[in-house]
Amino acid sequence: MNNISAPLLQVENLCTRFHIPEGTVYAVNGISFNIQEGETLAVVGESGCGKSVTMLSILGLIPIPPGEITTGKAMYRDKDLIKLPEDEFEHLRGEEIAMVFQDPMTSLNPVLTIGRQITETLRTHKGLSQEAAEQKAAELLERVGIPEAASRLGNYPHQFSGGMRQRVMIAMALSCNPSLLIADEPTTALDVTIQAQIVELVLHLREQLHMTIIWITHDLGVVAGLADRVIVMYAGFIVEEALVDDLYDNPRHPYTLALLTALPRVDRRRDHRLNSIPGAPPNLLVEPKGCPFAPRCTYVIDKCWQENPKLVPIAPVHKMACWVDTTTTMNGS
């Protein structure tokens, strides 16, 4: 990974809103981040924190209306994705930037064969003949570990298990050799064993194809062996950003600390109770004023209620948005 070169993707001050009958949903609130070519970036946070909306905004997949991107840039190489015309986006999506969605059963068309869905992508973006597209589709299914791949091209999504459907989605995403793969909680609906297999598969493909990956998840336990760098989101804000080892060894934001202490650990006694984060996520229909985590935070001070801290560097590759220095207030946790 070359930190001197320009980022493959650079997002600046992205804000996304949804205007619904109940009011305005403040889904993404001025976030900025970048990713280098060949890097794996994990975006972590609980459901509703803005992880998926951020990526859908970048890819031009937010329904407008009710959605609206009010500010921001997303520079992919020399193009601002936020301002890209739809005809250019159709070429870019799939061919240069691909996305694997959370639930393959709703992402795959239930009335089209797997072969038809993969070959359609290959014929559209690569101009392959039907025969060449079918051969390439079988190769892709083999690459992601589906046995007897050629004979399964005629199968429908319901004829595959959940783990195999997710492998099909990954094969489709890889069909045009994209530079950037965005994986949106691809292991959430799978059992732990299959989760591990999918993560292992993505790691293997990353090494083979030298891909750049953004991995969206609510589970910090998944990213330890997967990511180079981690962004932690809460209520549409980035609250912490660090190299993966630094985040585990030296978590600084109270929300990151709370997420890590809620993880099951093999070095704890079997009767050890898992910690939980008190309270509930904020109502995104209310425009945030102070720190959105303040009502649930054990380190809260008066300033937290009045002003939301900016994301600032606290070490060379470590940023945090918090008024409190948790290293001086922690009790050895």
Side-chain angles (χ1 to χ4, degrees):
M1 186 173 65
N2 185 358
N3 290 321
I4 298 172
S5 62
L8 178 65
L9 175 68
Q10 185 160 12
V11 177
E12 295 178 15
N13 195 32
L14 180 67
C15 289
T16 303
R17 309 281 182 253
F18 290 95
H19 305 289
I20 60 174
E22 292 81 5
T24 297
V25 178
Y26 295 87
V28 178
N29 299 303
I31 70 169
S32 301
F33 67 92
N34 61 59
I35 183 169
Q36 300 290 136
E37 198 137 10
E39 185 181 20
T40 299
L41 175 69
V43 182
V44 178
E46 60 198 281
S47 298
C49 73
K51 308 182 300 292
S52 299
V53 172
T54 296
M55 300 308 155
L56 293 172
S57 299
I58 290 167
L59 288 178
L61 296 174
I62 292 291
I64 301 174
E68 180 190 13
I69 298 172
T70 57
T71 65
K73 293 197 301 186
M75 300 303 298
Y76 173 77
R77 298 199 162 116
D78 60 344
K79 298 171 181 166
D80 184 357
L81 301 181
I82 303 300
K83 296 179 179 175
L84 206 63
E86 183 56 31
D87 57 341
E88 283 190 56
F89 235 140
E90 286 181 3
H91 168 77
L92 196 71
R93 280 194 300 258
E95 185 159 352
E96 290 196 48
I97 305 175
M99 190 161 181
V100 178
F101 292 94
Q102 182 172 343
D103 185 1
M105 201 58 202
T106 56
S107 303
L108 293 167
N109 190 323
V111 299
L112 297 179
T113 65
I114 294 299
R116 166 77 183 277
Q117 295 183 63
I118 301 176
T119 56
E120 187 173 1
T121 302
L122 290 164
R123 296 184 72 184
T124 299
H125 289 291
K126 295 297 185 184
L128 299 184
S129 67
Q130 183 63 30
E131 185 179 353
E134 287 181 2
Q135 184 177 344
K136 177 69 173 175
E139 290 171 8
L140 287 163
L141 291 181
E142 284 177 6
R143 174 175 272 174
V144 298
I146 292 182
E148 301 175 357
S151 65
R152 303 215 64 179
L153 290 175
N155 290 160
Y156 291 87
H158 73 270
Q159 294 175 278
F160 290 77
S161 67
M164 286 298 176
R165 283 195 293 268
Q166 199 57 277
R167 288 171 186 265
V168 170
M169 289 295 299
I170 293 169
M172 289 178 68
L174 298 179
S175 59
C176 296
N177 295 322
S179 300
L180 175 62
L181 177 69
I182 300 173
D184 186 4
E185 306 221 31
T187 61
T188 296
L190 308 175
D191 67 49
V192 175
T193 305
I194 306 300
Q195 279 186 22
Q197 290 175 7
I198 295 297
V199 171
E200 193 64 35
L201 170 64
V202 172
L203 282 170
H204 176 66
L205 293 170
R206 180 184 67 178
E207 298 307 313
Q208 270 193 331
L209 306 174
H210 309 292
M211 281 189 307
T212 306
I213 299 173
I214 297 176
W215 186 283
I216 303 168
T217 182
H218 65 272
D219 185 358
L220 265 172
V222 170
V223 304
L226 179 71
D228 300 304
R229 193 159 47 93
V230 182
I231 283 171
V232 181
M233 288 188 68
Y234 186 81
F237 295 93
I238 295 174
V239 296
E240 189 161 7
E241 177 183 335
L243 296 174
V244 65
D245 290 342
D246 194 21
L247 192 86
Y248 281 88
D249 293 341
N250 186 28
R252 298 289 292 276
H253 194 278
Y255 179 57
T256 311
L257 289 164
L259 286 177
L260 286 169
T261 56
L263 281 176
R265 284 171 46 171
V266 294
D267 60 346
R268 284 177 175 154
R269 287 169 29 194
R270 293 184 67 179
D271 60 351
H272 178 85
R273 288 178 63 86
L274 291 177
N275 291 324
S276 61
I277 304 174
N283 180 2
L284 297 181
L285 286 164
V286 179
E287 185 173 6
K289 298 295 183 189
C291 173
F293 191 60
R296 308 174 73 185
C297 183
T298 54
Y299 304 94
V300 67
I301 59 175
D302 288 346
K303 194 173 185 179
C304 303
W305 301 104
Q306 299 154 8
E307 189 179 346
N308 193 8
K310 295 188 183 307
L311 187 72
V312 295
I314 55 172
V317 196
H318 199 152
K319 298 178 182 178
M320 180 180 70
C322 185
W323 296 119
V324 180
D325 183 357
T326 55
T327 58
T328 63
T329 54
M330 282 189 300
N331 296 316
S333 57

